[in-house]
Amino acid sequence: MKLNHPMFAQIRAATMRLIDKGPSAATAAIQQALADVGLGSAPAARQAASAASAAPAAAAPTMRDINPPPAGAPPARQSDTIDLGDGGANPGKAGNGARREAPQAKAGGAAHESSQAGAAANGSGSTGQDAVAHATAVAQDMLNRMGIPVDIQASIDAGMQGGMPNGLMNFDMKNFDMKNFEMPKFDLGGDFSGLDLPGQLRPKTPPAPLPPGAKFLSGAYSNQAGSRNYKLYIPSSYHGQAMPLLVMLHGCTQDPDDFAAGTQMNQVAEEMQCLVVYPEQTRNANSSRCWNWFNAIDQQRGQGEPSLIAGIAQQVIEEYPINERQVYVAGLSAGGAMAVIVGTLYPELFAAVGVHSGLPFASAQDLPSALTAMKSGAKSPHKGDGSKPIIVFHGDRDTTVNPRNGEQVMAQGLGGAAAAPSVQSGSVPNGHRYTQTTHNQADGSLLAEHWVVHGAGHAWSGGDASGSYTDHKGPDASREMMRFFKTVS
């Protein structure tokens, strides 16, 4: 079954209805959209819409996307918004933690009376109750997919007993455990092979066979902060001679095999004669396998995940004849943010840093500041000293990590040390346009590059479809990063 773009346009419209009207209304809208393209039942859609109109607001709390709505979307209502501050646009208005305002319902039996009234309007009490149960189930499923440990029904019941039907909205988000925050994984079903959706989660494919003589080995490292597994790629050209080493940090929901397949970095290492090590985040440390770039302890030298990543690099250096002046670290998204942290904390170990769709050093300390940074950029990014060569890639249509973060990573890396930049534009045949800004030091040597990929979202530029979160239409970030690393060391 091939799904077409008009259907996705209608589903997108249904999503906007979710933002303004709640899960029940969005469910009905999606069913109607499917019916309009022959994938659902119109009567069923009308029945869902009727049920949605009877569902009380207290049983289906509105959820908001942390990303900005697309152009032309209806403005958000003040009563429905989550306030995490405005990302630096109005620093004086920054909130302390997350605040959500919702329409207030009457205390006591108001919600029950509303449900009875809705049922009476439909001529059946059970119909209204079914709609409430369905809406609650939809909302609960979404929270479960996001890894948010909230029981909607229990929250509503507790709120009712305390005279606050909006009990769900009053949980302490400031103390929310970000380690268990999980990005939703939507499965719309069907055959999506006819669509180009950069960044979509794809079924895993069998790993490509290694070149004769190459190895992709498993290893592990432990210290006082814990332990992490890793995969190490050794190119076929390795015969005991000294080689560069690249540390690659995957993004959320990914693992070393997925990241290696999507970035094709092993193939690049084969061509450029380099070892590549892929540290693996655990589900125990983060349920979505995100590197914990937003935790204070994971932003300190000798502590947490930076010490584990640096330890893995050091272990490989001790076991293989690595050229210690050619050790680099790079990553995507959460891995990109952690690459900045590790490169900053261990300047004697890493000669250069590569960041794809990441965030600047210490840009968040908790959930509210993490979401704000992802949405609008860090409010007060640390100033760098311009001592570490850095290459940054970011898509200008990234709605997961705002492109402003790429600009802040670059400014932080430069630290005011670069001469006037040179700018050039280009395009990939049948792909994306890009703007490449190059910064040189006073002596003319290369210091930094900033690649903005026009039209790209949250995905590895030039990546392969065998891995998740890739966009083959962009310039090849893997080869450009490796070329940059070789140039600056």
Side-chain angles (χ1 to χ4, degrees):
M1 179 181 69
K2 296 282 185 179
L3 299 181
N4 54 25
H5 288 280
M7 190 206 75
F8 271 87
Q10 294 181 17
I11 290 180
R12 185 177 185 181
T15 303
M16 296 311 302
R17 293 190 182 95
L18 167 61
I19 292 178
D20 285 332
K21 297 182 180 179
S24 296
T27 299
I30 292 174
Q31 289 175 341
Q32 183 61 56
L34 293 173
D36 290 344
V37 294
L39 296 177
S41 168
R46 287 194 295 271
Q47 181 181 1
S50 175
S53 65
T62 301
M63 296 184 67
R64 302 292 293 182
D65 191 345
I66 64 172
N67 296 316
R77 297 174 296 184
Q78 181 64 29
S79 61
D80 290 340
T81 59
I82 295 178
D83 181 15
L84 294 176
D86 48 10
N90 295 295
K93 294 177 62 180
N96 294 324
R99 174 177 60 83
R100 181 188 289 270
E101 298 176 358
Q104 297 296 313
K106 296 179 181 179
H112 178 69
E113 292 169 3
S114 175
S115 177
Q116 297 260 358
N122 284 301
S124 170
S126 62
T127 301
Q129 293 172 357
D130 290 345
V132 173
H134 177 69
T136 302
V138 170
Q140 185 66 64
D141 179 64
M142 292 184 68
L143 289 178
N144 292 342
R145 287 170 178 265
M146 294 177 71
I148 299 178
V150 175
D151 186 327
I152 290 181
Q153 191 59 53
S155 298
I156 293 174
D157 292 343
M160 290 294 188
Q161 293 176 5
M164 296 182 297
N166 298 300
L168 172 63
M169 299 302 136
N170 295 307
F171 72 90
D172 186 3
M173 194 169 184
K174 185 175 182 180
N175 295 322
F176 180 75
D177 182 7
M178 184 67 177
K179 284 189 177 182
N180 291 319
F181 178 75
E182 184 170 0
M183 297 301 291
K185 307 178 190 68
F186 297 107
D187 181 8
L188 299 178
D191 178 8
F192 291 89
S193 60
L195 291 174
D196 182 12
L197 301 175
Q200 65 178 312
L201 288 173
R202 303 176 177 90
K204 286 190 175 181
T205 57
L210 297 177
K215 299 177 181 179
F216 202 22
L217 308 175
S218 297
Y221 172 80
S222 299
N223 66 12
Q224 78 286 349
S227 63
R228 292 294 185 275
N229 295 331
Y230 61 83
K231 295 290 288 287
L232 174 65
Y233 182 78
I234 303 175
S236 60
S237 57
Y238 173 74
H239 300 292
Q241 75 275 31
M243 281 191 170
L245 172 65
L246 171 61
V247 179
M248 286 283 283
L249 302 177
H250 63 73
C252 297
T253 76
Q254 296 180 316
D255 59 31
D257 291 305
D258 178 26
F259 197 40
T263 62
Q264 297 285 283
M265 191 60 83
N266 290 352
Q267 287 81 343
V268 176
E270 187 71 29
E271 298 170 9
M272 297 191 178
Q273 300 186 9
C274 175
L275 274 68
V276 186
V277 64
Y278 300 83
E280 181 176 10
Q281 179 64 303
T282 67
R283 289 197 178 278
N284 288 337
N286 186 289
S287 62
S288 290
R289 296 184 182 272
C290 305
W291 296 101
N292 293 302
W293 56 273
F294 41 79
N295 286 343
I297 195 171
D298 296 307
Q299 299 168 1
Q300 301 178 35
R301 182 183 174 94
Q303 301 291 326
E305 292 171 3
S307 71
L308 290 166
I309 294 167
I312 289 173
Q314 192 63 51
Q315 181 166 291
V316 174
I317 291 172
E318 293 172 357
E319 295 179 355
Y320 295 87
I322 300 298
N323 186 333
E324 296 188 32
R325 293 191 296 178
Q326 293 182 304
V327 180
Y328 320 109
V329 60
L332 169 67
S333 191
M338 185 55 73
V340 174
I341 293 173
V342 174
T344 301
L345 297 178
Y346 295 90
E348 79 287 356
L349 180 58
F350 297 101
V353 179
V355 184
H356 202 310
S357 309
L359 299 96
F361 175 77
S363 53
Q365 294 75 43
D366 51 29
L367 174 61
S369 58
L371 296 179
T372 298
M374 291 170 65
K375 178 181 178 181
S376 307
K379 286 189 174 182
S380 301
H382 292 238
K383 292 183 179 180
D385 57 9
S387 63
K388 187 67 57 181
I390 187 168
I391 180 170
V392 176
F393 272 77
H394 216 118
D396 65 2
R397 292 191 182 178
D398 189 336
T399 58
T400 300
V401 177
N402 191 300
R404 183 185 178 195
N405 285 283
E407 298 171 1
Q408 292 177 325
V409 170
M410 180 57 57
Q412 191 177 76
L414 291 172
S422 61
V423 181
Q424 63 181 15
S425 299
S427 63
V428 175
N430 300 316
H432 294 307
R433 295 183 300 106
Y434 60 85
T435 299
Q436 176 191 0
T437 303
T438 302
H439 300 265
N440 294 304
Q441 301 187 69
D443 61 1
S445 60
L446 181 61
L447 176 60
E449 290 183 7
H450 186 197
W451 292 67
V452 177
V453 185
H454 304 297
H458 195 67
W460 188 272
S461 182
D464 188 86
S466 58
S468 62
Y469 297 102
T470 61
D471 184 354
H472 70 279
K473 290 186 175 182
D476 193 332
S478 296
R479 282 182 170 77
E480 294 298 341
M481 284 188 180
M482 192 68 78
R483 184 265 313 159
F484 176 85
F485 294 150
K486 290 272 191 175
T487 303
V488 298
S489 59

